[in-house]
Amino acid sequence: MRVMLADDAVLFREGLARILTDSGFTVTGQAGDGAALIGLVRADPPDVAVIDLRMPPGFSAEGIDTAAAIRAMAPGVGLMLLSQYVEVHHALRLMTDFDAGVGYLLKDRVSDLTAFGADVRKVARGATVIDPELVTRLVARRRERDPLDMLTGRERDVLALMARGLSNAAVAADLHLSVKTVEAYVTSIFGKLGLVQHEREHRRVLAVLTFLRA
């Protein structure tokens, strides 16, 4: 699987390239800012791009802007954003603006080679991956008229794992349930949240967005 990287910190970028290479990826390009990465992707689109959230010139949300440009130019490229800190507003923007093939992880997760490599592959294949720390913080945030109040505790558990990008089979393994039972929970979640099947919208993504906003 082919990957490109963008991070202004040279040592981190080179370390990340080594980690991905050791995990079986082929690193086809490295850049120090978003504009350079966009040029590399335009010339030879990879399967996935791993992008620092904060890059020159403003060190704010250049990574998301770069991801948007890449998605418009090469829709098939997966987009994994890395951040030094949990920034809920940026994560919500990412999950809202991109319907699939996107991830948001803390840079600390890179040290777990197996898990990080698996998450990058999920994003390359079109899945959505959210950092567990972000999920934990969002679970703690409650609003009046929380749309999740109607869900049972087990349904919340299932939805939280869905928000981390897990498939039904992976959720089943994590919760020690059968896949059929998880499928029933997922169907119930869709029903309680009022999510109907639509050709232009993915109910799983909409359910995760409801969870993130709640």
Side-chain angles (χ1 to χ4, degrees):
M1 190 168 285
R2 303 166 71 253
V3 60
M4 288 183 176
L5 317 174
D7 194 297
D8 64 293
V10 177
L11 290 179
F12 180 82
R13 188 171 72 237
E14 291 180 349
L16 182 59
R18 181 179 292 276
I19 287 172
L20 288 168
T21 299
D22 290 345
S23 299
F25 292 87
T26 299
V27 179
T28 60
Q30 298 185 42
D33 58 47
L37 178 64
I38 291 170
L40 291 174
V41 173
R42 181 181 292 111
D44 184 23
D47 297 299
V48 59
V50 180
I51 310 167
D52 187 14
L53 178 66
R54 295 175 178 267
M55 291 188 292
F59 294 95
S60 55
E62 288 80 6
I64 298 180
D65 296 334
T66 299
I70 291 174
R71 180 53 56 87
M73 176 179 62
V77 175
L79 303 165
M80 174 64 82
L81 276 290
L82 301 181
S83 178
Q84 189 70 38
Y85 310 101
V86 173
E87 299 178 88
V88 174
H89 58 296
H90 287 322
L92 287 175
R93 177 188 166 193
L94 195 67
M95 297 302 112
T96 301
D97 292 354
F98 302 85
D99 58 357
V102 66
Y104 180 100
L105 291 178
L106 289 176
K107 288 187 174 182
D108 289 347
R109 306 296 176 189
V110 172
S111 59
D112 187 337
L113 275 64
T114 301
F116 180 63
D119 285 339
V120 174
R121 286 186 173 86
K122 287 179 184 177
V123 169
R125 292 168 181 152
T128 298
V129 173
I130 303 174
D131 193 280
E133 177 64 22
L134 176 64
V135 173
T136 299
R137 291 199 184 188
L138 290 171
V139 168
R141 292 174 59 192
R142 299 296 301 276
R143 294 178 180 173
E144 294 182 1
R145 299 180 183 178
D146 186 344
L148 304 184
D149 281 342
M150 64 187 75
L151 302 184
T152 66
R154 181 57 84 181
E155 288 169 345
R156 282 173 171 270
D157 292 340
V158 170
L159 184 53
L161 292 175
M162 286 168 57
R164 289 173 51 186
L166 273 64
S167 65
N168 286 353
V171 171
D174 196 275
L175 297 178
H176 306 291
L177 301 171
S178 70
V179 175
K180 182 171 292 187
T181 298
V182 171
E183 290 174 348
Y185 279 127
V186 172
T187 298
S188 177
I189 290 168
F190 289 159
K192 290 182 178 181
L193 296 182
L195 303 176
V196 297
Q197 188 64 47
H198 189 283
E199 64 179 7
R200 295 186 62 186
E201 297 176 333
H202 196 301
R203 285 189 298 176
R204 199 176 188 90
V205 174
L206 293 176
V208 168
L209 286 174
T210 300
F211 172 79
L212 293 175
R213 290 167 175 156

